[in-house]
Amino acid sequence: MVKLMIDHRVENIYWMARYMERALFSLNIGKSYLGYGLEASQEKWNYCWQRIKKGMRIFSTPEPTNSSLPVSLFFLLFDSENPLSAMSSLFSARENSKILRDILPVALWEQLNEAYFLLSSTTVTSSLQPSHYPLITSTIEKMLLFGQLEYYLFEEDELWAWLRAGEYIEKIGNFAALLFAYDPTENKDNPSFEEWEAFLNSLFLLDLFRKKVGLASLSFDKITSFILLANKYPYSILSQLEKLMGCLGIISQEWIVDMAQSTTKELLGKIVDSYRKEVSSENRKKLFLEIQIACNSIHQHLLSAIG
């Protein structure tokens, strides 16, 4: 009975982490692309919106017929009919966190709760406006503080490992999906310099890329290499996979996660091997898909381990 109760908590903390990360991804894309979209022509925004949808993996969800900037970003951030919107994801994160109230540090609950009510209490009827920029920024800040508080308030035990594993799997999949969406072989047009800036900013990478690589070297190849392999950047895909392996090591002390561990290790090897040699654009695009597929596989293995 005790083990069943622990398994139930684990599933809630894992899903809370994934939904929080999903909401943060949506919010930061909305914030980052708002400035670009206000300056872009409708034609350029239409191309950009197609990339965003592909990067957000919005395929089966009914989307607005009007693809103007305000309507598109409302759909991405506030639309309760869109299960992938920031509002829907924050709601789901909060629902899972309610079950964890007796073990979730109070400060974490407060940050999540405040982020949800900040977003949900705002009157947004059918479209997002530039005046909502401060609201989006404030919500992102609360969610980033949630992440910082985890390190101070959570003991590094099995629950913490499940929490971090959920975040890493969601983030790795999101990075790979957005890279796939921006692969040159997937696009009919070339994104402008300003759109590339929005792309990097949506992943919290713009300032770091500017410092480490330089915007004069802005290109898809440079960005891809940086996001995949930058060892000194704690949120590169390689670094996150290595941290995920550490979390799975902690989890494996109580749960059987051999398949999740082997899939993660295999994916790590593929990424390193692909950049030890010259890879064609087609093989590189295939790698982005393989990362997404592997993340889904790891996710399924972990859910199976919970039972």
Side-chain angles (χ1 to χ4, degrees):
M1 180 64 72
V2 174
K3 182 68 164 61
L4 287 174
M5 288 178 63
I6 294 173
D7 285 348
H8 185 57
R9 296 297 185 83
V10 160
E11 190 168 1
N12 287 120
I13 204 163
Y14 172 78
W15 277 113
M16 182 191 74
R18 291 209 62 163
Y19 282 124
M20 283 287 287
E21 190 61 44
R22 196 170 299 171
L24 182 59
F25 186 51
S26 299
L27 283 162
N28 209 41
I29 282 182
K31 172 178 176 282
S32 301
Y33 283 87
L34 179 58
Y36 166 74
L38 289 170
E39 300 293 329
S41 66
Q42 182 61 49
E43 182 184 21
K44 286 186 176 181
W45 173 252
N46 286 341
Y47 282 122
C48 179
W49 177 236
Q50 295 305 313
R51 284 186 275 271
I52 291 173
K53 285 195 303 176
K54 193 178 293 182
M56 296 291 296
R57 289 169 279 190
I58 299 172
F59 301 119
S60 58
T61 302
E63 58 168 305
T65 53
N66 179 356
S67 62
S68 67
L69 174 74
V71 174
S72 298
L73 292 188
F74 167 81
F75 172 76
L76 181 65
L77 300 180
F78 295 99
D79 193 345
S80 59
E81 300 296 317
N82 174 14
L84 300 176
S85 71
M87 183 85 78
S88 297
S89 297
L90 261 180
F91 173 80
S92 297
R94 185 172 177 272
E95 288 301 296
N96 278 279
S97 70
K98 285 180 182 178
I99 302 170
L100 304 165
R101 285 297 304 276
D102 61 328
I103 60 171
L104 194 67
V106 174
L108 290 180
W109 162 256
E110 289 176 345
Q111 289 302 315
L112 193 163
N113 207 34
E114 288 176 17
Y116 171 71
F117 279 111
L118 184 62
L119 209 61
S120 63
S121 62
T122 303
T123 303
V124 185
T125 53
S126 61
S127 66
L128 178 137
Q129 302 298 329
S131 59
H132 292 117
Y133 185 88
L135 164 70
I136 300 169
T137 301
S138 297
T139 309
I140 289 173
E141 287 172 353
K142 289 188 178 298
M143 296 180 73
L144 290 176
L145 183 57
F146 179 98
Q148 292 172 6
L149 288 170
E150 286 177 14
Y151 288 99
Y152 291 98
L153 301 177
F154 247 106
E155 182 182 356
E156 290 195 15
D157 58 7
E158 290 85 358
L159 283 175
W160 174 88
W162 280 99
L163 175 74
R164 301 304 294 176
E167 291 177 355
Y168 293 139
I169 293 169
E170 184 70 30
K171 192 185 293 287
I172 292 166
N174 290 340
F175 276 33
L178 205 56
L179 281 170
F180 179 85
Y182 271 83
D183 191 287
T185 61
E186 280 291 299
N187 293 284
K188 296 178 181 178
D189 70 320
N190 294 317
S192 65
F193 179 86
E194 291 77 15
E195 188 179 343
W196 280 121
E197 285 188 307
F199 170 92
L200 285 167
N201 201 44
S202 69
L203 300 177
F204 297 100
L205 273 170
L206 180 59
D207 291 332
L208 191 62
F209 190 90
R210 181 188 286 120
K211 178 182 177 182
K212 298 293 185 181
V213 181
L215 296 183
S217 301
L218 200 61
S219 70
F220 183 74
D221 288 340
K222 290 275 188 181
I223 290 171
T224 298
S225 179
F226 190 71
I227 293 176
L228 279 172
L229 291 171
N231 289 325
K232 293 183 180 179
Y233 174 54
Y235 295 115
S236 70
I237 288 177
L238 184 66
S239 294
Q240 289 177 87
L241 280 169
E242 290 171 344
K243 290 177 181 179
L244 177 58
M245 281 294 292
C247 291
L248 294 178
I250 296 173
I251 291 170
S252 67
Q253 297 172 27
E254 296 290 337
W255 287 269
I256 299 173
V257 290
D258 296 8
M259 293 297 293
Q261 287 175 302
S262 62
T263 303
T264 305
K265 187 175 181 180
E266 181 182 350
L267 182 58
L268 266 168
K270 281 184 180 179
I271 292 173
V272 173
D273 289 344
S274 69
Y275 272 83
R276 282 178 179 161
K277 54 189 177 183
E278 286 290 327
V279 293
S280 66
S281 59
E282 195 59 38
N283 285 337
R284 180 181 58 195
K285 188 172 72 171
K286 183 182 175 185
L287 178 61
F288 303 148
L289 280 174
E290 287 177 342
I291 293 171
Q292 294 178 67
I293 292 169
C295 284
N296 288 334
S297 178
I298 295 164
H299 165 73
Q300 293 299 330
H301 292 321
L302 289 178
L303 292 184
S304 296
I306 297 171

